[in-house]
Amino acid sequence: MTSQSAAALRSRYLELTELGLEENRRRQQELSEEILLLKQEEALLMDILALAERFDASPDAARMPEQAQNRPSRAAKPAAGRGVSGHTERAGVDEPGASALAAKDGPRRPLLGDMLMSLLEEHSGPLPAKEVRDELLARHPERNPTPQVVRNTLESLVAKGRIQRHKHERSVTYTVGTRGQNHAAVADGS
């Protein structure tokens, strides 16, 4: 092997190594962002589970969740390992214990579910979750829920019968139906 071919081979290895490192760093960044989204989704699901458990244990279990959420909860405690100061958007529910903090700091922020309902009520036609989120971000830049949190919140509203889901092939859109339609959807289980 000549010194010229050895230098070319060494140069090629260095180039491939740099490309490999660059790709590795890019992939690490993607995975870090994905882990963050998964942690947010896990926190959302844990909060929903805690809320459901508190609702089931409540003596007012026959009341609708929309009615119960207006009362401050005495049993609200921060989730293990998390404080109430790290408030994040959840499916229309403040982090457990945040109501006590909000009482000290001023008026409570509107729930994400209520904000999404308000946005949907302003439109006569169905909207995909992405457009609902884009409009929310445009009107309320201080609120920045992830796309998954918006979808989960919309699905939660569907489950409560407050909005309707429409599927056409692979696209899903949401609308606010008339009150009678929403109650019929709950009765049908759809």
Side-chain angles (χ1 to χ4, degrees):
M1 184 183 292
T2 66
S3 65
Q4 188 177 17
S5 63
L9 185 62
R10 181 175 183 271
S11 174
R12 182 68 181 142
Y13 278 133
L14 285 173
E15 185 180 317
L16 289 173
T17 302
E18 288 175 4
L19 288 173
L21 281 171
E22 186 178 313
E23 174 63 20
N24 184 289
R25 289 185 185 119
R26 184 192 63 77
R27 185 72 178 127
Q28 284 181 28
Q29 179 64 33
E30 285 177 1
L31 290 173
S32 294
E33 291 170 2
E34 191 172 337
I35 287 171
L36 179 62
L37 288 174
L38 288 171
K39 285 181 179 180
Q40 289 176 343
E41 186 175 350
E42 177 188 25
L44 166 70
L45 294 170
M46 294 297 291
D47 286 348
I48 291 171
L49 182 61
L51 179 64
E53 288 171 354
R54 279 201 321 256
F55 181 72
D56 286 343
S58 167
D60 297 338
R63 293 179 67 167
M64 294 296 293
E66 301 87 49
Q67 296 166 329
Q69 74 186 5
N70 292 331
R71 292 179 307 146
S73 172
R74 291 186 181 133
K77 296 180 203 161
R82 288 196 332 237
V84 295
S85 60
H87 177 80
T88 56
E89 298 290 342
R90 297 294 192 292
V93 178
D94 287 334
E95 214 170 290
S99 59
L101 184 64
K104 285 190 241 175
D105 294 340
R108 268 182 93 161
R109 297 185 336 167
L111 298 175
L112 180 60
D114 293 339
M115 295 173 79
L116 296 178
M117 283 283 302
S118 174
L119 291 173
L120 286 171
E121 286 171 347
E122 294 175 12
H123 293 275
S124 59
L127 290 177
K130 181 188 181 327
E131 288 182 27
V132 174
R133 180 177 183 265
D134 290 345
E135 192 168 329
L136 175 74
L137 294 176
R139 291 186 186 191
H140 303 279
E142 75 282 2
R143 305 288 286 256
N144 190 17
T146 65
Q148 185 64 47
V149 168
V150 171
R151 281 192 300 274
N152 289 350
T153 305
L154 290 169
E155 288 301 316
S156 173
L157 293 170
V158 168
K160 293 176 184 177
R162 295 179 69 194
I163 66 173
Q164 294 179 341
R165 176 191 323 113
H166 308 278
K167 284 183 119 176
H168 180 69
E169 294 179 6
R170 293 185 63 196
S171 68
V172 177
T173 56
Y174 301 90
T175 60
V176 176
T178 63
R179 209 147 176 73
Q181 288 175 324
N182 284 339
H183 289 302
V186 171
D188 290 344
S190 52

